[in-house]
Amino acid sequence: MNLIKTPQEIAIMAEGGKILATVLKEIEKMAVAGITTLQLDRAAEALILAAGAKPAFKGYEGFPYSLCASVNDVIVHGYPSKYMLKNGDLVGLDLGVKWKGYNTDMAVTVAVGEVSFEARRLKEVTKKALRLGLKKARAGVTVGDLGHTIQRFVEDQGFGVVRDLCGHGIGKEVHEDPQIPNYGQRHKGVELKEGMVICIEPMVTQGTWQIRKAKDGYGFATRDGLLAAHFEHTLVITKDGCKVLTEV
Ligand code: MG
């Protein structure tokens, strides 16, 4: 597996990323009280197919849906269901698109209606953790530098970073090397190089960073049942920074 993508591959992934960001923006708008996560999944799949792309997660390791919908204490990989979103929920929407053989991956956390002050703060801190990761990403820094930046910020805010799940490289496969943890030590780990395409995806918890299987038997949830949030972008490493591919 070649970790450095060619300019042609990056151009294809930028096209796919644009489709993904456009679809996820629509799904985000639909995530209001009264809709089920299964309805969101169906809508996401329809929009991806209408754009001429494929849902990257469908069939991936047996996953039968296009969207992961992770509500409240569920961190990631929540299965869409008949659960109806309600005022005060925090829902993570994680979506992947396959376009011309290449994958892109993106996630946002949405506040449904009025959420608690702490829920809103958790969401904002997670979003900012991703922004700080993007700001740090460039050729020559290591995955430890990235993780350290995210971990330090999140823990300073009094929240936890999940250890057992992490970001990743991406390309023809949804998950490629290297792993991109949201914690780490400066100057440690794989060095990022120009042309690598990776996903940075902080998973932040209100309480403990320890996880357990979610009640649906598939997703991962916080062990203490407190809230979690998750944001993700796919980006390409450049000489003096990075370029986000999953944006409109
Ligand atoms: Mg991912």
Side-chain angles (χ1 to χ4, degrees):
M1 181 188 307
N2 191 358
L3 299 188
I4 311 289
K5 267 64 183 181
T6 66
Q8 290 81 0
E9 290 176 304
I10 293 164
I12 290 171
M13 294 181 81
E15 289 170 6
K18 197 170 280 183
I19 294 169
L20 172 53
T22 305
V23 171
L24 194 54
K25 194 171 250 184
E26 283 307 307
I27 300 307
E28 193 174 344
K29 279 190 247 166
M30 291 175 64
V32 295
I35 197 164
T36 68
T37 53
L38 203 50
Q39 286 174 307
L40 293 178
D41 170 72
R42 293 293 142 81
E45 183 169 317
L47 288 169
I48 290 169
L49 294 175
K54 284 186 186 140
F57 298 165
K58 196 162 191 175
Y60 181 80
E61 289 180 355
F63 185 68
Y65 301 101
S66 298
L67 178 76
C68 295
S70 305
V71 182
N72 294 331
D73 64 319
V74 181
I75 308 161
V76 287
H77 302 177
Y79 271 40
S81 71
K82 288 177 183 159
Y83 177 79
M84 198 180 276
L85 293 177
K86 62 178 194 307
N87 199 38
D89 281 344
L90 215 47
V91 60
L93 304 172
D94 193 349
L95 192 64
V97 153
K98 192 168 197 174
W99 171 253
K100 297 181 181 171
Y102 289 84
N103 297 284
T104 47
D105 189 359
M106 179 182 184
V108 293
T109 292
V110 181
V112 180
E114 282 292 307
V115 300
S116 68
F117 174 79
E118 270 301 278
R120 182 161 302 277
R121 200 171 73 83
L122 178 69
K123 177 177 103 105
E124 291 309 320
V125 163
T126 310
K127 194 173 182 179
K128 186 162 180 201
L130 173 56
R131 275 207 302 276
L132 292 174
L134 296 173
K135 224 169 131 188
K136 186 82 188 173
R138 58 159 67 211
V141 310
T142 68
V143 300
D145 292 323
L146 277 189
H148 179 81
T149 299
I150 290 168
Q151 181 181 17
R152 193 184 46 189
F153 170 68
V154 168
E155 290 180 351
D156 277 352
Q157 301 299 313
F159 293 133
V161 279
V162 172
R163 308 289 200 272
D164 305 82
L165 304 159
C166 60
H168 48 91
I170 189 166
K172 285 181 179 163
E173 305 294 332
V174 174
H175 292 125
E176 298 185 353
D177 288 335
Q179 291 199 339
I180 312 288
N182 297 300
Y183 64 96
Q185 290 176 282
R186 281 196 190 109
H187 313 310
K188 293 279 164 84
V190 175
E191 186 182 310
L192 299 177
K193 297 201 166 67
E194 196 176 350
M196 278 186 179
V197 180
I198 60 170
C199 297
I200 301 181
E201 50 179 320
M203 287 161 254
V204 177
T205 58
Q206 194 180 6
T208 180
W209 54 263
Q210 290 181 303
I211 67 173
R212 60 172 173 79
K213 269 278 173 213
K215 287 189 199 84
D216 70 5
Y218 301 105
F220 293 101
T222 57
R223 191 168 288 179
D224 57 14
L226 295 179
L227 296 172
H230 175 219
F231 280 86
E232 175 178 22
H233 270 308
T234 300
L235 56 119
V236 58
I237 299 297
T238 63
K239 214 178 342 176
D240 43 18
C242 76
K243 188 181 181 317
V244 173
L245 301 179
T246 39
E247 63 187 6
V248 181

